[in-house]
Amino acid sequence: MRDRVLKDAKRVVVKIGSSLVASRGAGLRPERIEQLASDIAALKTGGRDVLVVSSGAIVSGIQKLGLTAYPKNLPEKQAAAAVGQSRLMWAYEKAFESLGQKVAQVLLTHQDLADRKRFMNARHTLAALIGFGVIPIINENDTVAVDEIRFGDNDNLAAQVAHLVDADVLVILSDVAGLYTEDPRKNTSATLIPLVTDITKDIERRAGATDSFEGTGGMATKIQAAKKVAEYGGATLIMSGEQTGLLPSVFDGAEAGTFILPKGRRLTSRKHWIAFTLRVKGQLALDDGAVEALVRRGKSLLPSGITAVSGDFSAGDAVACTNRQGKEIAKGLVNFSADTLKRIKGLKTAEIQKTVGAQEYEEAIHRDNLVIL
Ligand code: GLU
């Protein structure tokens, strides 16, 4: 399966971690960017569409500004990102130009994808770039992104980009060789896990995604990214980016890294967007009957099945649905504001009309806008 997916992959997103292209002391390392560019160009000339998500702006900006420590306040961090991003892009531009490849800079914030229209617009722009044979070099727009609109980390951004362009494979290049049974820096007997067929609780625990033991070399966000990719039907390969030539060779069958298989059941792009791009603005607690109707019978959520409403949301916002144990079982776009839902929760359709007047919708969340988790 692994070999076939990699050999057949038409579209690939390559995520490059900061430590591969920049270091705290020396700043940007253009020679590393040249090596990575030659590997990426090899994938491209092999007939694949390639998109790059590269970190490294902040670290190279810090060095360029002559700062001795990582900036603590947000404006300084954002200034460092602005200074570093242009240097980062300049290095990619030069490296790819000497290989006869055209590149483009694309900077995104979470907000750009959280609106379905803007999401579609970004999708069309990237498709046009790919159509021109260009390699988009993408980063978070750190200079303007504050917490509410941040992706947070580039592993997550890369997963969102992979979904945006429907990539067959996301390759996460880092300074660790993949997912290990335990933290390889702390335990020398840790072994590499070559294949993950399903991201189980055990896999998340090994990656440090839950707090049972410490993270395995920053693996938690990589496994979260792989999970998002698997859900739309893509595969993820987490591997070392330090060995020149390794990246193109894995697409020809060489063994390296941890390969995470796509899921059999695929979410449509819209449902994937609801489940993994949107952030929830509130919670709806459901009774057992509603949980059963949603999970087993594929029904919409009616106000009558809601027992409690929390958060401050408007009609059209994303909310989480929880069962009686408080576990999140679904996510969806709600048809009513929090205020209205508080008044009509638990009520039948006829009673709703008496309470708040005739409503455009009967369902609190329509099935088409609902994803079971
Ligand atoms: N966007 C950040 C940068 O380019 C890196 C964020 C990350 O690597 O997760 O410096």
Side-chain angles (χ1 to χ4, degrees):
M1 177 95 175
R2 171 192 161 117
D3 280 4
R4 201 182 36 113
V5 171
L6 289 169
K7 279 199 178 112
D8 292 349
K10 269 292 299 152
R11 187 166 287 180
V12 181
V13 172
V14 180
K15 188 263 171 176
I16 299 173
S18 292
S19 64
L20 293 176
V21 294
S23 67
R24 284 282 160 91
L28 195 71
R29 296 159 66 202
E31 75 290 353
R32 288 295 298 126
I33 291 193
E34 280 163 27
Q35 288 159 356
L36 288 160
S38 86
D39 278 357
I40 290 161
L43 287 187
K44 182 83 185 2
T45 49
R48 297 181 169 93
D49 302 330
V50 189
L51 299 95
V52 174
V53 173
S54 180
S55 307
I58 298 178
V59 180
S60 42
I62 289 172
Q63 190 267 347
K64 196 168 152 188
L65 289 173
L67 303 178
T68 47
Y70 201 87
K72 285 203 178 60
N73 68 51
L74 189 62
E76 282 184 9
K77 222 185 280 174
Q78 294 186 308
V83 166
Q85 179 64 28
S86 66
R87 179 165 277 198
L88 182 68
M89 207 50 219
W90 172 66
Y92 277 111
E93 184 74 60
K94 273 211 309 194
F96 277 108
E97 184 161 52
S98 72
L99 297 161
Q101 298 291 342
K102 297 185 196 80
V103 298
Q105 168 178 265
V106 179
L107 299 177
L108 293 170
T109 64
H110 176 263
Q111 218 174 23
D112 297 322
L113 304 185
D115 178 280
R116 189 69 185 164
K117 260 200 217 130
R118 286 168 75 179
F119 175 95
M120 295 309 287
N121 191 34
R123 169 174 279 184
H124 294 145
T125 307
L126 289 175
L129 285 169
I130 292 166
F132 282 126
V134 168
I135 301 173
I137 313 278
I138 303 158
N139 197 357
E140 174 141 25
N141 196 353
D142 293 308
T143 302
V144 298
V146 290
D147 273 355
E148 307 81 75
I149 62 165
R150 272 183 70 81
F151 290 101
D153 64 83
N154 272 11
D155 293 322
N156 181 30
L157 169 62
Q160 305 277 357
V161 167
H163 169 232
L164 197 59
V165 299
D166 201 17
D168 303 297
V169 181
L170 166 65
V171 182
I172 300 181
L173 297 179
S174 86
D175 52 6
V176 271
L179 176 66
Y180 283 79
T181 48
E182 280 166 79
D183 189 336
R185 294 164 309 180
K186 289 187 188 145
N187 193 329
T188 48
S189 63
T191 53
L192 183 82
I193 303 173
L195 184 73
V196 172
T197 50
D198 192 15
I199 299 173
T200 56
K201 284 267 169 300
D202 180 58
I203 291 292
E204 286 181 342
R205 190 180 54 81
R206 290 184 191 285
T210 54
D211 48 14
S212 0
F213 66 69
E214 265 190 71
T216 312
M219 242 344 113
T221 54
K222 293 175 179 47
I223 293 297
Q224 280 163 14
K227 201 170 179 175
K228 289 179 184 156
V229 170
E231 289 279 355
Y232 78 75
T236 300
L237 178 63
I238 303 169
M239 60 178 274
S240 163
E242 279 169 339
Q243 233 176 298
T244 307
L246 190 60
L247 175 66
S249 71
V250 293
F251 283 85
D252 291 327
E255 275 290 328
T258 299
F259 190 72
I260 299 125
L261 290 180
K263 273 221 167 162
R265 173 195 71 116
R266 293 178 181 204
L267 289 177
T268 62
S269 170
R270 204 183 121 74
K271 291 218 171 178
H272 190 279
W273 174 75
I274 292 172
F276 297 110
T277 302
L278 293 187
R279 292 178 183 158
V280 298
K281 297 244 173 84
Q283 280 77 29
L284 309 180
L286 310 189
D287 64 22
D288 292 343
V291 171
E292 159 86 16
L294 259 52
V295 177
R296 307 236 176 282
R297 290 189 281 125
K299 299 278 192 215
S300 295
L301 175 67
L302 297 174
S304 58
I306 302 171
T307 56
V309 177
S310 58
D312 181 18
F313 52 84
S314 312
D317 282 342
V319 295
C321 300
T322 56
N323 65 12
R324 278 216 292 175
Q325 289 72 44
K327 186 172 175 271
E328 208 171 292
I329 56 131
K331 201 174 152 185
L333 305 182
V334 73
N335 283 336
F336 302 98
S337 68
D339 286 344
T340 309
L341 262 190
K342 276 177 192 154
R343 296 176 62 197
I344 64 175
K345 69 176 163 49
L347 300 185
K348 298 262 179 297
T349 308
E351 300 162 331
I352 290 174
Q353 203 168 347
K354 269 185 242 152
T355 314
V356 289
Q359 294 295 311
E360 217 175 312
Y361 302 101
E362 215 174 301
E363 311 87 8
I365 302 176
H366 191 275
R367 189 69 206 175
D368 293 347
N369 295 328
L370 186 80
V371 191
I372 305 300
L373 302 170

